[in-house]
Amino acid sequence: MTLKVCNFQRLSLEEKKLVLEWRNYPLVSINMVNQKVISWEEHCKFIENLTDDKTREYLLLYKKDVPVAVFYVVDIIEYTSAEWGFYLRPEYIGSGLGVEVEFYALNYLFSKYKLEKLNAVIRKSNYENLNLQKTFRFERYKEDENFDYLTMTRDSWSKNTKDFKQFRRELLRRISNERS
Amino acid sequence: MSAVEKILQFVNEIREEKSLDRVESINPDTNLRDDLALQSLDLASLTVMIEDEFEVDVFEDGLVFTVGEIIQKIER
């Protein structure tokens, strides 16, 4: 299994187009905090503004040389906290790939930024993602009408194995325990 | 028990845990998400079950969406 990332600032023109297509796909945009359709101009401006911005990082994730997902981290305070999210290539939604993407992303983010905690904001209507975060052991610390606000500490994440296959087995045990 | 029957057994184990009705049959065209209502975490579970039974990680070099695609990887 090979996963690699490409920072948004290094995206080719084709990759930029691809990412915008995914971001505006209805099944993706409906679950974003900002649900509005993004124009090409806005997209390019957004990527341009990421230059020299140490508080945000956007990455395109490849699996076996196929671009499969975007994950991002904002409000980065190194050694302290950040907020993250991801979206899959639309045809891979519900493929089971989200588990692998999240495992890779959390390892990357906790390791790179030495975070004490990582937050996530998930729409209440996004049941599948909320269920995924619960199984990963994110905990809700706040909620409002539309969103659940989740957090995970470095200690909690560091208890997990760094091997994805083993982690997948651990998830299976957690799911079985929760359902029984 | 054939590979298809074994996959059907695994699918039903997952569906039962989710309080979904058992599925009586599957075929190569059966879609894991649309026809069997398996979600991301269920597919992760199914992958582990298949790996234990057939020693094949069906997600190792790509994605699978149908029962037929799983069978292909098992029989490769």
Side-chain angles (χ1 to χ4, degrees):
Chain A
M1 181 183 312
T2 311
L3 289 169
K4 64 174 184 178
V5 292
C6 178
N7 191 291
F8 264 31
Q9 289 140 276
R10 293 197 298 272
L11 295 183
S12 67
L13 181 61
E14 287 309 307
E15 287 171 324
K16 285 180 183 172
K17 287 179 182 172
L18 188 68
V19 164
L20 181 61
E21 191 181 307
W22 298 355
R23 167 61 182 77
N24 283 336
Y25 189 80
L27 262 180
V28 172
S29 61
I30 198 171
N31 288 318
M32 303 296 284
V33 172
N34 173 9
Q35 295 174 313
K36 86 179 193 75
V37 172
I38 307 294
S39 70
W40 172 247
E41 290 72 24
E42 288 171 319
H43 183 57
C44 292
K45 186 72 181 168
F46 175 82
I47 293 173
E48 193 184 315
N49 285 341
L50 291 172
T51 308
D52 298 327
D53 186 345
K54 304 289 186 205
T55 68
R56 298 185 293 171
E57 186 176 24
Y58 282 72
L59 299 139
L60 176 60
L61 186 66
Y62 279 79
K63 179 174 182 175
K64 292 265 181 183
D65 297 327
V66 177
V68 294
V70 164
F71 73 95
Y72 53 91
V73 57
V74 299
D75 296 338
I76 301 167
I77 305 172
E78 214 163 343
Y79 297 99
T80 307
S81 66
E83 180 184 309
W84 90 290
F86 77 97
Y87 50 90
L88 294 177
R89 186 182 184 121
E91 57 263 48
Y92 294 168
I93 292 173
S95 66
L97 184 66
V99 175
E100 188 176 356
V101 168
E102 178 150 352
F103 179 79
Y104 181 92
L106 296 188
N107 274 333
Y108 176 92
L109 296 172
F110 274 112
S111 168
K112 179 170 182 180
Y113 294 108
K114 315 292 182 201
L115 302 168
E116 283 306 313
K117 67 177 182 180
L118 184 61
N119 301 325
V121 182
I122 314 284
R123 283 196 175 273
K124 284 183 176 293
S125 54
N126 193 356
Y127 306 115
E128 188 167 349
N129 195 2
L130 282 171
N131 197 25
L132 180 66
Q133 302 319 320
K134 183 180 164 194
T135 310
F136 265 78
R137 301 268 163 84
F138 270 88
E139 293 182 0
R140 187 172 66 191
Y141 67 93
K142 193 173 82 173
E143 66 179 312
D144 59 27
E145 187 181 352
N146 295 316
F147 300 100
D148 275 356
Y149 298 81
L150 311 176
T151 193
M152 181 191 284
T153 63
R154 161 181 286 279
D155 282 350
S156 176
W157 181 246
S158 64
K159 286 174 187 162
N160 293 308
T161 168
K162 296 294 179 281
D163 180 272
F164 177 64
K165 285 189 178 184
Q166 285 181 32
F167 179 74
R168 205 165 49 187
R169 287 178 182 281
E170 172 57 27
L171 280 189
L172 179 57
R173 278 193 291 275
R174 288 181 197 173
I175 295 166
S176 299
N177 290 340
E178 282 165 13
R179 285 176 182 163
S180 61
Chain B
M1 191 181 279
S2 71
V4 172
E5 289 169 332
K6 202 70 197 177
I7 293 167
L8 178 61
Q9 178 189 318
F10 294 152
V11 166
N12 277 326
E13 285 175 21
I14 293 169
R15 285 177 60 90
E16 279 175 20
E17 286 196 350
K18 298 176 70 172
S19 302
L20 295 173
D21 291 339
R22 288 180 63 82
V23 174
E24 293 309 319
S25 66
I26 52 176
N27 63 60
D29 293 330
T30 304
N31 186 286
L32 301 170
R33 182 179 180 87
D34 298 338
D35 300 325
L36 301 175
L38 300 186
Q39 298 181 325
S40 297
L41 287 169
D42 304 322
L43 291 167
S45 300
L46 181 63
T47 305
V48 173
M49 292 168 161
I50 290 171
E51 188 176 27
D52 285 347
E53 180 70 24
F54 299 103
E55 297 182 353
V56 172
D57 181 348
V58 294
F59 281 102
E60 180 73 36
D61 57 356
L63 299 171
V64 293
F65 297 92
T66 65
V67 170
E69 288 168 345
I70 293 177
I71 299 296
Q72 279 180 6
K73 300 225 173 185
I74 290 171
E75 292 178 346
R76 191 183 291 171

